[in-house]
Amino acid sequence: MANFWSIVNNVIREADVLLLLLDARLVNETRNPEIEKKVKAIGKPLIYVITKSDLVENKEFVEAHKKELKPCVFVSANKYYGTTILRERILIEAKKHKVKYLPVKVGVLGYPNVGKSSLINAMSGRSGAPTSMMSGYTKSLQKIRGDNSILFLDTPGVIPFMEKESEKHSMIGSVDFTKVKEPDLAVMNIMKQFPGKVEAYYGVEVLDDFEASIENITISRNIVKSGNQPNIDKMARTILKEWQKGNIK
Ligand SMILES: Nc1nc2c(ncn2[C@@H]2O[C@H](COP(=O)(O)OP(=O)(O)OP(=O)(O)O)[C@@H](O)[C@H]2O)c(=O)[nH]1
Ligand SMILES: [Mg+2]
């Protein structure tokens, strides 16, 4: 991870404009005060890009963020929303900061798995930046030509240095479902923050006792281990996978 930070620091130095990608479902959780501070300190423009907006039905909730995050653009790499507006915003910010040459160098920053490489691909119309549902996929700096006016600098995702919140990282997908140590805790956290979504997806009753809900889902899917006991760990990992893939929304 230390090495990933050094790539991020170099990109902050090299880029003319920085994008900080935030997950539309977890806007506050995916902000990174360390990155925001560094970019401000160096005096470069930072655009907040709220991505995966196709996964959010309650647009008002997302709209509320517009007031506190400036400038801010909503996009979806999957649905190609917002890419033209973002391109315009990048060029406006570059001009405001007196960038006199093209292409404008645009550093793309954010948590692992937030959708950095996917956005670059959506904006460049090619698959120049490899993507994956497994977090930590981009491991080095990649330069991808957007068009004549933009050169993207893709970075490996980083999380704030001192942050050790494993449930949050599972919810964001920064630690992917195969690596999460306690998937049941991660699922309970999602159930708490997004009431009823997991239960609705699996067609079980919403209970106050999240552990019981996971058990009910496990039983309803007949996921068992030896001795015919419900295999909670296996089911919780599957639920987490569906969440991280954006199927539960
Ligand atoms: N629904 C939805 N899924 C998205 C969107 N953008 C990315 N994804 C998915 O999110 C996952 C991660 O995407 P990447 O583009 O690889 O994310 P990244 O930020 O580059 O990840 P690292 O390189 O690991 O830091 C993939 O499964 C993508 O398909 C989006 O706008 N909407
Ligand atoms: Mg990537």
Short mmCIF file of all heavy atoms in Angstrom, two decimals, residues 4 21 23 25 50-56 75-81 108-122 129-139 154-158 172-174 244-247 249, ligand 1:
data_model
loop_
_atom_site.label_atom_id
_atom_site.label_comp_id
_atom_site.label_asym_id
_atom_site.label_seq_id
_atom_site.Cartn_x
_atom_site.Cartn_y
_atom_site.Cartn_z
N PHE A 4 1.61 2.20 -3.37
CA PHE A 4 0.44 2.78 -4.03
C PHE A 4 0.34 4.26 -3.68
O PHE A 4 0.06 5.09 -4.54
CB PHE A 4 -0.85 2.07 -3.62
CG PHE A 4 -1.04 0.72 -4.27
CD1 PHE A 4 -0.07 0.17 -5.10
CD2 PHE A 4 -2.21 0.00 -4.07
CE1 PHE A 4 -0.26 -1.07 -5.70
CE2 PHE A 4 -2.42 -1.24 -4.66
CZ PHE A 4 -1.43 -1.77 -5.48
N LEU A 21 -12.96 10.11 -7.09
CA LEU A 21 -14.17 9.33 -7.32
C LEU A 21 -14.80 8.89 -6.01
O LEU A 21 -14.10 8.39 -5.12
CB LEU A 21 -13.85 8.11 -8.19
CG LEU A 21 -14.10 8.39 -9.68
CD1 LEU A 21 -13.17 9.47 -10.18
CD2 LEU A 21 -13.99 7.14 -10.50
N ASP A 23 -18.28 6.74 -4.36
CA ASP A 23 -19.35 5.78 -4.67
C ASP A 23 -20.69 6.42 -4.30
O ASP A 23 -20.87 6.84 -3.16
CB ASP A 23 -19.10 4.50 -3.85
CG ASP A 23 -20.09 3.38 -4.16
OD1 ASP A 23 -21.30 3.67 -4.33
OD2 ASP A 23 -19.66 2.22 -4.21
N ARG A 25 -23.42 5.28 -3.52
CA ARG A 25 -24.12 4.65 -2.38
C ARG A 25 -23.47 5.04 -1.07
O ARG A 25 -24.08 4.92 -0.01
CB ARG A 25 -24.08 3.12 -2.53
CG ARG A 25 -24.79 2.62 -3.77
CD ARG A 25 -24.54 1.13 -3.98
NE ARG A 25 -23.11 0.86 -4.21
CZ ARG A 25 -22.61 -0.36 -4.38
NH1 ARG A 25 -23.40 -1.40 -4.32
NH2 ARG A 25 -21.33 -0.53 -4.60
N ILE A 50 -19.09 11.65 -8.47
CA ILE A 50 -19.90 10.63 -7.80
C ILE A 50 -20.29 9.59 -8.84
O ILE A 50 -21.04 9.89 -9.78
CB ILE A 50 -21.13 11.27 -7.13
CG1 ILE A 50 -20.63 12.28 -6.09
CG2 ILE A 50 -22.02 10.20 -6.51
CD1 ILE A 50 -21.70 12.95 -5.28
N THR A 51 -19.71 8.42 -8.69
CA THR A 51 -19.89 7.40 -9.73
C THR A 51 -20.78 6.25 -9.26
O THR A 51 -21.24 6.25 -8.12
CB THR A 51 -18.53 6.92 -10.27
OG1 THR A 51 -18.77 6.10 -11.41
CG2 THR A 51 -17.76 6.13 -9.22
N LYS A 52 -21.05 5.32 -10.15
CA LYS A 52 -21.99 4.21 -9.91
C LYS A 52 -23.37 4.80 -9.57
O LYS A 52 -24.11 4.22 -8.77
CB LYS A 52 -21.50 3.28 -8.79
CG LYS A 52 -20.10 2.70 -9.04
CD LYS A 52 -19.77 1.51 -8.16
CE LYS A 52 -18.35 1.03 -8.39
NZ LYS A 52 -17.95 -0.12 -7.59
N SER A 53 -23.71 5.94 -10.14
CA SER A 53 -24.99 6.57 -9.78
C SER A 53 -26.17 5.74 -10.29
O SER A 53 -27.29 5.92 -9.83
CB SER A 53 -25.05 8.02 -10.24
OG SER A 53 -24.86 8.10 -11.61
N ASP A 54 -25.90 4.80 -11.19
CA ASP A 54 -26.98 3.89 -11.62
C ASP A 54 -27.44 2.97 -10.49
O ASP A 54 -28.51 2.36 -10.57
CB ASP A 54 -26.50 3.04 -12.82
CG ASP A 54 -25.21 2.29 -12.54
OD1 ASP A 54 -24.15 2.94 -12.30
OD2 ASP A 54 -25.22 1.06 -12.54
N LEU A 55 -26.64 2.86 -9.42
CA LEU A 55 -27.01 1.96 -8.32
C LEU A 55 -27.87 2.65 -7.26
O LEU A 55 -28.25 2.03 -6.26
CB LEU A 55 -25.75 1.39 -7.65
CG LEU A 55 -24.86 0.53 -8.54
CD1 LEU A 55 -23.64 0.05 -7.77
CD2 LEU A 55 -25.63 -0.66 -9.09
N VAL A 56 -28.14 3.93 -7.46
CA VAL A 56 -28.91 4.67 -6.45
C VAL A 56 -30.26 5.09 -7.02
O VAL A 56 -30.33 5.73 -8.06
CB VAL A 56 -28.11 5.91 -5.99
CG1 VAL A 56 -28.95 6.80 -5.11
CG2 VAL A 56 -26.87 5.46 -5.25
N VAL A 75 -21.84 10.62 -12.36
CA VAL A 75 -21.62 9.81 -13.56
C VAL A 75 -22.00 8.34 -13.30
O VAL A 75 -22.18 7.93 -12.15
CB VAL A 75 -20.13 9.84 -14.03
CG1 VAL A 75 -19.68 11.23 -14.36
CG2 VAL A 75 -19.22 9.22 -13.00
N SER A 76 -22.13 7.62 -14.38
CA SER A 76 -22.18 6.16 -14.30
C SER A 76 -21.37 5.64 -15.47
O SER A 76 -21.67 5.96 -16.63
CB SER A 76 -23.62 5.64 -14.40
OG SER A 76 -23.58 4.27 -14.77
N ALA A 77 -20.34 4.88 -15.16
CA ALA A 77 -19.52 4.34 -16.23
C ALA A 77 -20.29 3.27 -16.99
O ALA A 77 -20.14 3.12 -18.20
CB ALA A 77 -18.24 3.76 -15.65
N ASN A 78 -21.16 2.55 -16.28
CA ASN A 78 -21.92 1.49 -16.94
C ASN A 78 -22.94 2.05 -17.92
O ASN A 78 -23.14 1.50 -18.99
CB ASN A 78 -22.69 0.67 -15.91
CG ASN A 78 -21.80 -0.31 -15.21
OD1 ASN A 78 -20.59 -0.14 -15.22
ND2 ASN A 78 -22.37 -1.34 -14.60
N LYS A 79 -23.57 3.14 -17.51
CA LYS A 79 -24.65 3.70 -18.34
C LYS A 79 -24.19 4.92 -19.15
O LYS A 79 -25.00 5.53 -19.83
CB LYS A 79 -25.83 4.10 -17.45
CG LYS A 79 -26.41 2.98 -16.59
CD LYS A 79 -27.63 2.43 -17.26
CE LYS A 79 -28.40 1.43 -16.52
NZ LYS A 79 -28.22 0.24 -16.07
N TYR A 80 -22.94 5.25 -19.05
CA TYR A 80 -22.39 6.41 -19.77
C TYR A 80 -23.11 7.71 -19.43
O TYR A 80 -23.23 8.58 -20.26
CB TYR A 80 -22.41 6.18 -21.30
CG TYR A 80 -21.50 5.05 -21.72
CD1 TYR A 80 -21.99 3.75 -21.77
CD2 TYR A 80 -20.17 5.28 -22.03
CE1 TYR A 80 -21.17 2.70 -22.12
CE2 TYR A 80 -19.34 4.24 -22.39
CZ TYR A 80 -19.85 2.94 -22.43
OH TYR A 80 -19.03 1.91 -22.77
N TYR A 81 -23.62 7.83 -18.19
CA TYR A 81 -24.20 9.11 -17.80
C TYR A 81 -23.07 10.06 -17.46
O TYR A 81 -22.09 9.65 -16.85
CB TYR A 81 -24.95 9.07 -16.45
CG TYR A 81 -26.11 8.20 -16.24
CD1 TYR A 81 -26.36 7.74 -14.94
CD2 TYR A 81 -26.99 7.86 -17.25
CE1 TYR A 81 -27.45 6.95 -14.66
CE2 TYR A 81 -28.08 7.06 -16.97
CZ TYR A 81 -28.30 6.61 -15.68
OH TYR A 81 -29.36 5.83 -15.39
N VAL A 108 -6.78 10.42 -11.75
CA VAL A 108 -8.02 9.82 -11.26
C VAL A 108 -7.74 9.06 -9.96
O VAL A 108 -6.98 8.09 -9.95
CB VAL A 108 -8.62 8.87 -12.34
CG1 VAL A 108 -9.96 8.31 -11.88
CG2 VAL A 108 -8.79 9.62 -13.66
N LEU A 109 -8.34 9.55 -8.88
CA LEU A 109 -8.03 9.05 -7.53
C LEU A 109 -9.29 8.51 -6.86
O LEU A 109 -10.40 8.90 -7.19
CB LEU A 109 -7.48 10.21 -6.68
CG LEU A 109 -6.33 11.02 -7.29
CD1 LEU A 109 -6.08 12.29 -6.46
CD2 LEU A 109 -5.06 10.18 -7.36
N GLY A 110 -9.09 7.65 -5.87
CA GLY A 110 -10.24 7.16 -5.09
C GLY A 110 -9.95 5.81 -4.45
O GLY A 110 -8.91 5.20 -4.71
N TYR A 111 -10.89 5.39 -3.63
CA TYR A 111 -10.76 4.08 -2.95
C TYR A 111 -10.59 2.95 -3.98
O TYR A 111 -11.06 3.07 -5.12
CB TYR A 111 -12.04 3.80 -2.16
CG TYR A 111 -12.01 4.27 -0.73
CD1 TYR A 111 -12.09 5.62 -0.42
CD2 TYR A 111 -11.92 3.37 0.31
CE1 TYR A 111 -12.07 6.05 0.90
CE2 TYR A 111 -11.90 3.78 1.64
CZ TYR A 111 -11.97 5.13 1.92
OH TYR A 111 -11.95 5.55 3.22
N PRO A 112 -10.01 1.84 -3.55
CA PRO A 112 -9.98 0.67 -4.44
C PRO A 112 -11.40 0.27 -4.83
O PRO A 112 -12.30 0.33 -3.99
CB PRO A 112 -9.34 -0.42 -3.56
CG PRO A 112 -8.59 0.31 -2.49
CD PRO A 112 -9.36 1.58 -2.25
N ASN A 113 -11.59 -0.06 -6.08
CA ASN A 113 -12.85 -0.61 -6.59
C ASN A 113 -13.97 0.42 -6.75
O ASN A 113 -15.10 0.06 -7.02
CB ASN A 113 -13.32 -1.75 -5.67
CG ASN A 113 -14.14 -2.77 -6.42
OD1 ASN A 113 -13.72 -3.22 -7.48
ND2 ASN A 113 -15.28 -3.13 -5.90
N VAL A 114 -13.66 1.69 -6.59
CA VAL A 114 -14.72 2.69 -6.67
C VAL A 114 -15.16 2.92 -8.13
O VAL A 114 -16.25 3.46 -8.38
CB VAL A 114 -14.27 4.00 -5.97
CG1 VAL A 114 -13.25 4.77 -6.77
CG2 VAL A 114 -15.44 4.87 -5.59
N GLY A 115 -14.31 2.49 -9.07
CA GLY A 115 -14.70 2.60 -10.49
C GLY A 115 -13.83 3.55 -11.30
O GLY A 115 -14.28 4.07 -12.33
N LYS A 116 -12.58 3.74 -10.88
CA LYS A 116 -11.70 4.69 -11.57
C LYS A 116 -11.41 4.24 -13.01
O LYS A 116 -11.59 5.01 -13.95
CB LYS A 116 -10.36 4.82 -10.80
CG LYS A 116 -10.54 5.34 -9.38
CD LYS A 116 -9.23 5.36 -8.60
CE LYS A 116 -8.66 3.99 -8.28
NZ LYS A 116 -9.56 3.12 -7.48
N SER A 117 -10.97 3.01 -13.15
CA SER A 117 -10.58 2.53 -14.48
C SER A 117 -11.80 2.45 -15.39
O SER A 117 -11.73 2.78 -16.59
CB SER A 117 -9.89 1.16 -14.38
OG SER A 117 -8.79 1.23 -13.49
N SER A 118 -12.95 2.05 -14.84
CA SER A 118 -14.18 1.96 -15.64
C SER A 118 -14.58 3.32 -16.19
O SER A 118 -15.02 3.44 -17.33
CB SER A 118 -15.34 1.42 -14.80
OG SER A 118 -15.03 0.15 -14.28
N LEU A 119 -14.43 4.36 -15.36
CA LEU A 119 -14.80 5.70 -15.81
C LEU A 119 -13.88 6.15 -16.95
O LEU A 119 -14.34 6.73 -17.95
CB LEU A 119 -14.74 6.70 -14.65
CG LEU A 119 -15.06 8.13 -15.05
CD1 LEU A 119 -16.51 8.26 -15.50
CD2 LEU A 119 -14.76 9.11 -13.93
N ILE A 120 -12.59 5.87 -16.80
CA ILE A 120 -11.65 6.25 -17.86
C ILE A 120 -12.03 5.56 -19.17
O ILE A 120 -12.06 6.18 -20.23
CB ILE A 120 -10.20 5.89 -17.45
CG1 ILE A 120 -9.78 6.76 -16.26
CG2 ILE A 120 -9.23 6.06 -18.62
CD1 ILE A 120 -8.43 6.39 -15.66
N ASN A 121 -12.39 4.29 -19.06
CA ASN A 121 -12.79 3.57 -20.28
C ASN A 121 -14.06 4.18 -20.89
O ASN A 121 -14.15 4.35 -22.10
CB ASN A 121 -13.03 2.09 -19.97
CG ASN A 121 -11.73 1.37 -19.67
OD1 ASN A 121 -10.66 1.85 -20.04
ND2 ASN A 121 -11.82 0.24 -18.99
N ALA A 122 -15.02 4.53 -20.02
CA ALA A 122 -16.27 5.11 -20.53
C ALA A 122 -15.98 6.43 -21.23
O ALA A 122 -16.61 6.76 -22.24
CB ALA A 122 -17.26 5.32 -19.38
N ALA A 129 -8.01 0.93 -19.84
CA ALA A 129 -7.68 0.74 -18.43
C ALA A 129 -8.34 -0.54 -17.94
O ALA A 129 -9.56 -0.61 -17.82
CB ALA A 129 -8.19 1.94 -17.61
N PRO A 130 -7.57 -1.59 -17.68
CA PRO A 130 -8.18 -2.84 -17.27
C PRO A 130 -8.98 -2.69 -15.96
O PRO A 130 -8.54 -1.99 -15.05
CB PRO A 130 -7.00 -3.78 -17.06
CG PRO A 130 -5.85 -3.14 -17.75
CD PRO A 130 -6.12 -1.68 -17.76
N THR A 131 -10.14 -3.33 -15.90
CA THR A 131 -11.00 -3.22 -14.71
C THR A 131 -11.32 -4.62 -14.18
O THR A 131 -11.14 -5.61 -14.89
CB THR A 131 -12.34 -2.54 -15.06
OG1 THR A 131 -13.06 -3.41 -15.93
CG2 THR A 131 -12.14 -1.19 -15.71
N SER A 132 -11.81 -4.66 -12.94
CA SER A 132 -12.17 -5.95 -12.38
C SER A 132 -13.09 -5.73 -11.19
O SER A 132 -13.04 -4.68 -10.56
CB SER A 132 -10.91 -6.66 -11.88
OG SER A 132 -11.25 -7.74 -11.04
N MET A 133 -13.93 -6.74 -10.89
CA MET A 133 -14.71 -6.60 -9.67
C MET A 133 -13.86 -6.91 -8.43
O MET A 133 -14.27 -6.68 -7.31
CB MET A 133 -16.01 -7.40 -9.71
CG MET A 133 -15.87 -8.87 -9.56
SD MET A 133 -17.46 -9.61 -9.11
CE MET A 133 -17.74 -8.87 -7.52
N MET A 134 -12.67 -7.42 -8.63
CA MET A 134 -11.75 -7.64 -7.52
C MET A 134 -11.02 -6.32 -7.24
O MET A 134 -10.50 -5.71 -8.16
CB MET A 134 -10.70 -8.71 -7.87
CG MET A 134 -11.28 -10.05 -8.16
SD MET A 134 -12.29 -10.60 -6.79
CE MET A 134 -12.72 -12.22 -7.32
N SER A 135 -10.96 -5.92 -5.98
CA SER A 135 -10.32 -4.65 -5.67
C SER A 135 -8.81 -4.77 -5.79
O SER A 135 -8.26 -5.87 -5.79
CB SER A 135 -10.68 -4.22 -4.26
OG SER A 135 -10.07 -5.08 -3.35
N GLY A 136 -8.15 -3.64 -5.91
CA GLY A 136 -6.68 -3.63 -6.00
C GLY A 136 -6.21 -4.08 -7.36
O GLY A 136 -5.12 -4.62 -7.52
N TYR A 137 -7.02 -3.85 -8.39
CA TYR A 137 -6.70 -4.39 -9.71
C TYR A 137 -5.64 -3.56 -10.42
O TYR A 137 -4.71 -4.10 -11.02
CB TYR A 137 -7.97 -4.49 -10.55
CG TYR A 137 -7.82 -5.46 -11.68
CD1 TYR A 137 -7.65 -6.82 -11.41
CD2 TYR A 137 -7.80 -5.04 -12.99
CE1 TYR A 137 -7.47 -7.73 -12.44
CE2 TYR A 137 -7.63 -5.94 -14.02
CZ TYR A 137 -7.47 -7.28 -13.74
OH TYR A 137 -7.29 -8.16 -14.75
N THR A 138 -5.81 -2.23 -10.36
CA THR A 138 -4.81 -1.36 -10.99
C THR A 138 -3.64 -1.25 -10.02
O THR A 138 -3.81 -0.84 -8.88
CB THR A 138 -5.42 0.03 -11.27
OG1 THR A 138 -6.61 -0.16 -12.03
CG2 THR A 138 -4.45 0.91 -12.03
N LYS A 139 -2.46 -1.64 -10.48
CA LYS A 139 -1.33 -1.73 -9.56
C LYS A 139 -0.24 -0.71 -9.85
O LYS A 139 0.70 -0.56 -9.09
CB LYS A 139 -0.73 -3.13 -9.57
CG LYS A 139 -1.72 -4.15 -9.01
CD LYS A 139 -1.05 -5.44 -8.63
CE LYS A 139 -1.96 -6.32 -7.81
NZ LYS A 139 -3.30 -6.52 -8.38
N ASP A 154 -4.43 6.94 -14.59
CA ASP A 154 -5.17 6.01 -13.72
C ASP A 154 -4.25 5.60 -12.57
O ASP A 154 -3.06 5.37 -12.78
CB ASP A 154 -5.60 4.77 -14.52
CG ASP A 154 -6.60 3.91 -13.77
OD1 ASP A 154 -7.12 4.36 -12.72
OD2 ASP A 154 -6.88 2.79 -14.25
N THR A 155 -4.81 5.50 -11.37
CA THR A 155 -3.98 5.14 -10.21
C THR A 155 -4.56 3.91 -9.51
O THR A 155 -5.74 3.60 -9.64
CB THR A 155 -3.96 6.30 -9.18
OG1 THR A 155 -5.29 6.47 -8.65
CG2 THR A 155 -3.48 7.59 -9.79
N PRO A 156 -3.70 3.25 -8.72
CA PRO A 156 -4.22 2.20 -7.84
C PRO A 156 -5.05 2.87 -6.75
O PRO A 156 -4.70 3.97 -6.30
CB PRO A 156 -2.97 1.58 -7.24
CG PRO A 156 -1.81 2.15 -7.96
CD PRO A 156 -2.26 3.44 -8.57
N GLY A 157 -6.12 2.23 -6.31
CA GLY A 157 -6.93 2.82 -5.26
C GLY A 157 -6.20 2.83 -3.93
O GLY A 157 -5.43 1.92 -3.63
N VAL A 158 -6.42 3.88 -3.16
CA VAL A 158 -5.86 3.92 -1.80
C VAL A 158 -6.94 4.30 -0.80
O VAL A 158 -7.87 5.03 -1.12
CB VAL A 158 -4.68 4.92 -1.67
CG1 VAL A 158 -3.44 4.38 -2.32
CG2 VAL A 158 -5.03 6.30 -2.22
N ILE A 172 -17.78 -1.02 0.71
CA ILE A 172 -17.36 -0.26 -0.47
C ILE A 172 -16.84 -1.21 -1.56
O ILE A 172 -16.84 -0.87 -2.73
CB ILE A 172 -16.22 0.73 -0.08
CG1 ILE A 172 -16.73 1.74 0.95
CG2 ILE A 172 -15.66 1.45 -1.28
CD1 ILE A 172 -15.61 2.58 1.57
N GLY A 173 -16.41 -2.39 -1.15
CA GLY A 173 -15.82 -3.33 -2.12
C GLY A 173 -14.31 -3.13 -2.22
O GLY A 173 -13.66 -3.69 -3.10
N SER A 174 -13.74 -2.31 -1.31
CA SER A 174 -12.29 -2.09 -1.35
C SER A 174 -11.54 -3.33 -0.89
O SER A 174 -10.38 -3.53 -1.22
CB SER A 174 -11.91 -0.91 -0.46
OG SER A 174 -12.47 0.26 -1.00
N GLN A 244 -21.41 -6.28 -3.77
CA GLN A 244 -20.26 -5.63 -4.40
C GLN A 244 -20.41 -5.56 -5.92
O GLN A 244 -19.89 -4.65 -6.55
CB GLN A 244 -18.97 -6.36 -4.01
CG GLN A 244 -18.63 -6.17 -2.52
CD GLN A 244 -17.28 -6.73 -2.12
OE1 GLN A 244 -16.66 -7.50 -2.87
NE2 GLN A 244 -16.81 -6.39 -0.93
N LYS A 245 -21.13 -6.53 -6.49
CA LYS A 245 -21.36 -6.49 -7.94
C LYS A 245 -22.44 -5.48 -8.31
O LYS A 245 -22.69 -5.21 -9.48
CB LYS A 245 -21.81 -7.88 -8.44
CG LYS A 245 -20.66 -8.84 -8.64
CD LYS A 245 -21.14 -10.24 -8.91
CE LYS A 245 -21.73 -10.40 -10.31
NZ LYS A 245 -22.13 -11.82 -10.53
N GLY A 246 -23.12 -4.96 -7.31
CA GLY A 246 -24.19 -3.99 -7.57
C GLY A 246 -25.52 -4.65 -7.91
O GLY A 246 -26.44 -3.99 -8.40
N ASN A 247 -25.63 -5.96 -7.65
CA ASN A 247 -26.92 -6.62 -7.92
C ASN A 247 -27.95 -6.32 -6.85
O ASN A 247 -29.15 -6.30 -7.12
CB ASN A 247 -26.72 -8.14 -8.06
CG ASN A 247 -25.97 -8.48 -9.32
OD1 ASN A 247 -25.94 -7.66 -10.25
ND2 ASN A 247 -25.34 -9.64 -9.37
N LYS A 249 -29.48 -3.56 -4.82
CA LYS A 249 -29.43 -2.09 -4.84
C LYS A 249 -30.74 -1.49 -4.39
O LYS A 249 -31.72 -2.16 -4.26
CB LYS A 249 -29.04 -1.58 -6.22
CG LYS A 249 -29.91 -2.07 -7.35
CD LYS A 249 -29.38 -1.55 -8.67
CE LYS A 249 -30.19 -2.15 -9.81
NZ LYS A 249 -29.70 -1.81 -11.11
N1 LIG B 1 -23.03 -0.42 -11.51
C1 LIG B 1 -21.84 0.15 -11.78
N2 LIG B 1 -20.70 -0.57 -11.59
C2 LIG B 1 -19.52 0.04 -11.87
C3 LIG B 1 -19.45 1.38 -12.35
N3 LIG B 1 -18.13 1.69 -12.51
C4 LIG B 1 -17.43 0.59 -12.15
N4 LIG B 1 -18.27 -0.40 -11.77
C5 LIG B 1 -17.87 -1.74 -11.32
O1 LIG B 1 -17.04 -1.60 -10.18
C6 LIG B 1 -16.00 -2.60 -10.19
C7 LIG B 1 -14.65 -1.93 -10.06
O2 LIG B 1 -14.39 -1.17 -11.19
P1 LIG B 1 -12.92 -0.66 -11.57
O3 LIG B 1 -13.08 0.34 -12.66
O4 LIG B 1 -11.99 -1.79 -11.80
O5 LIG B 1 -12.51 0.09 -10.21
P2 LIG B 1 -11.13 0.78 -9.82
O6 LIG B 1 -11.46 1.97 -8.99
O7 LIG B 1 -10.32 1.03 -11.04
O8 LIG B 1 -10.48 -0.35 -8.90
P3 LIG B 1 -8.92 -0.60 -8.50
O9 LIG B 1 -8.12 -0.54 -9.76
O10 LIG B 1 -8.97 -1.95 -7.91
O11 LIG B 1 -8.59 0.47 -7.51
C8 LIG B 1 -16.18 -3.38 -11.48
O12 LIG B 1 -16.89 -4.56 -11.16
C9 LIG B 1 -17.00 -2.45 -12.35
O13 LIG B 1 -17.80 -3.13 -13.30
C10 LIG B 1 -20.68 2.10 -12.55
O14 LIG B 1 -20.72 3.28 -12.94
N5 LIG B 1 -21.83 1.44 -12.24
#
